[in-house]
Amino acid sequence: MAKLTEEQKAERAAARARREALAAEEKDRQDTVRREAWRRKGTRLSWDEYEAGVPCRGCGEPMCDGLGDWPGLMYLTEEEKRDHEAMEERFRQLHRQCMSGRWSVSGSRVTHCFQCCPPPPLGPALIEELSEIFRSSPSAEDRKKDQDSWELILTCDHVTTLTQHRDHNYVRPVVRCPECQVRRGVVHSKRLGPAYTAEGVEVNRSDFPAGGLLAGDQSAPGSVPA
Ligand SMILES: [Zn+2]
Ligand SMILES: [Zn+2]
Ligand SMILES: [Zn+2]
């Protein structure tokens, strides 16, 4: 059997990257639709409702059953094993169509569905903790020295840039395209380097050869068998 040429390998990799970006974009779109529906119907519980023990409005099960986390499966007694299997079966019955992961509140055994059930509300203590982290984080001006620019090619073939902390070695899979004004999957990303000069001035990369990159990626999709 003939081996793939380097060019064929590159084409396949490009086609795969595009497929994955389109899949991420679709998942992101579904997540947005779901969050929008929860907001419209008031599915999320308020902190007071959660505290008062109001059941999940997604599935009707208690948010927290107070039974404590499951010990590791191998440590379950015979009775606990039966309980565990019964809860598994109940979850399968309630979420036949969902094909989704599940979550549970710490200290509780009942499981909820990522598809049907909004996550539990943030409590005042956690909100305070998050605001403290936010307050103690460096100012926008201070953060500039740690920011890198990235060049992204999106599923719509628009090329855009993104600025983020240097510690990140990849970019999030879906970003808003400033041209299309919708969220798009990222097909290709490339770190360009520091986003700001030592003086805190944005680095101008307007003459960066983005066009060549884009042309290369555009030629691949469609022409390569999946
Ligand atoms: Zn639920
Ligand atoms: Zn479900
Ligand atoms: Zn676009």
Side-chain angles (χ1 to χ4, degrees):
M1 218 169 109
K3 277 193 171 172
L4 293 180
T5 64
E6 287 308 313
E7 194 185 345
Q8 284 171 323
K9 280 186 199 165
E11 279 183 359
R12 290 194 177 200
R16 192 183 325 117
R18 175 164 292 265
R19 267 199 313 275
E20 287 171 1
L22 286 168
E25 184 178 305
E26 176 56 19
K27 185 184 175 303
D28 182 82
R29 198 190 58 75
Q30 289 173 4
D31 288 348
T32 305
V33 167
R34 189 178 313 129
R35 279 198 303 272
E36 213 14 64
W38 286 341
R39 198 190 53 75
R40 222 175 35 247
K41 299 182 201 156
T43 314
R44 288 173 193 275
L45 296 181
S46 68
W47 179 250
D48 286 343
E49 289 173 325
Y50 178 72
E51 283 279 273
V54 175
C56 170
R57 275 196 278 264
C59 69
E61 297 284 292
M63 286 297 262
C64 181
D65 57 20
L67 292 176
D69 299 315
W70 286 110
L73 277 189
M74 56 193 286
Y75 303 111
L76 295 185
T77 63
E78 285 307 312
E79 195 190 345
E80 283 173 332
K81 271 184 198 160
R82 280 194 296 276
D83 287 351
H84 186 264
E85 191 35 53
M87 288 181 101
E88 289 291 297
E89 181 52 30
R90 181 161 175 75
F91 186 87
R92 284 195 289 271
Q93 294 288 339
L94 283 171
H95 305 284
R96 276 188 186 291
Q97 317 292 335
C98 297
M99 311 268 289
S100 166
R102 55 174 90 184
W103 56 267
S104 61
V105 171
S106 158
S108 174
R109 296 184 179 185
V110 59
T111 45
H112 295 270
C113 168
F114 279 113
Q115 190 77 25
C116 309
C117 313
L122 302 182
L126 188 54
I127 292 176
E128 180 48 38
E129 208 176 298
L130 292 174
S131 350
E132 186 48 44
I133 291 172
F134 188 71
R135 276 195 296 273
S136 60
S137 61
S139 70
E141 203 52 41
D142 274 352
R143 282 201 303 271
K144 282 183 175 179
K145 64 181 189 322
D146 300 320
Q147 302 275 309
D148 272 349
S149 276
W150 289 66
E151 181 184 77
L152 314 181
I153 300 174
L154 309 179
T155 52
C156 51
D157 288 332
H158 284 128
V159 181
T160 185
T161 52
L162 174 103
T163 299
Q164 64 177 3
H165 195 279
R166 192 153 301 133
D167 286 352
H168 298 295
N169 287 322
Y170 46 86
V171 296
R172 60 189 92 108
V174 181
V175 300
R176 187 173 173 79
C177 173
E179 293 286 328
C180 303
Q181 302 274 312
V182 293
R183 290 171 60 76
R184 297 288 195 194
V186 176
V187 179
H188 183 93
S189 62
K190 185 165 95 171
R191 194 194 293 260
L192 300 178
Y196 299 93
T197 64
E199 291 73 38
V201 180
E202 202 171 340
V203 175
N204 181 11
R205 291 192 171 88
S206 54
D207 47 17
F208 209 86
L213 242 176
L214 178 58
D217 269 22
Q218 267 181 327
S219 63
S223 59
V224 179

